[in-house]
Amino acid sequence: MGHFFQVQDDYLDCYGEPEVLGKIGTDIQDKKCGWLIVEALKLCSPEQRQSLEKNYGIDTAENIAAVKEVYRALGMEDIYRQFEEDSAVRIKGLIKQFSGELPESIFESFFNKIFKRNK
């Protein structure tokens, strides 16, 4: 669940609404090694990689927009949504498999608090 939560955090930093999050995401301009950039680098063309390398970590609206354009072209929002759904299935299976003597509802309750969160 911790990995899932961190990936969500990376996604929300880029795509979350600042009014809801209570902050403006800065992972791109801070050159953070987050899930979105790692996945984008796995999927991108040589030209897209060049754009990411040129623009990632530079704090101007133009550079941030260039990174987000590569994310858009790669379909990173859809890739995240698929990751989210796949993770839900995997985590629910792990809860059933490893909850042991503890009630599954403890883990399910925690997971339900973070699944599909928007802040």
Side-chain angles (χ1 to χ4, degrees):
M1 274 191 252
H3 178 252
F4 175 71
F5 184 87
Q6 185 58 55
V7 171
Q8 274 184 325
D9 195 61
D10 294 347
Y11 173 83
L12 290 171
D13 186 89
C14 184
Y15 293 106
E17 297 295 326
E19 311 80 49
V20 176
L21 288 176
K23 66 174 187 161
I24 296 172
T26 60
D27 285 2
I28 292 171
Q29 52 268 47
D30 290 345
K31 204 172 188 175
K32 296 237 176 119
C33 185
W35 185 84
L36 284 169
I37 189 66
V38 169
E39 293 302 309
L41 288 169
K42 290 178 188 176
L43 300 169
C44 66
S45 69
E47 295 80 18
Q48 290 168 324
R49 176 177 284 274
Q50 186 176 28
S51 179
L52 290 173
E53 289 175 355
K54 175 183 174 190
N55 293 292
Y56 201 75
I58 300 175
D59 191 5
T60 70
E62 182 180 316
N63 294 96
I64 294 165
V67 171
K68 288 186 175 185
E69 174 54 30
V70 173
Y71 287 176
R72 186 204 60 73
L74 293 172
M76 294 308 296
E77 286 189 84
D78 291 335
I79 290 167
Y80 169 77
R81 281 193 273 288
Q82 187 62 55
F83 169 85
E84 186 177 47
E85 293 302 321
D86 293 346
S87 293
V89 170
R90 187 176 58 78
I91 290 168
K92 288 176 183 179
L94 290 170
I95 289 170
K96 289 190 182 307
Q97 184 177 358
F98 293 109
S99 62
E101 294 183 22
L102 295 171
E104 290 177 18
S105 61
I106 293 171
F107 301 103
E108 290 168 348
S109 173
F110 179 70
F111 179 71
N112 290 334
K113 287 180 182 179
I114 65 171
F115 186 61
K116 302 249 183 207
R117 70 186 175 98
N118 62 0
K119 62 178 183 172

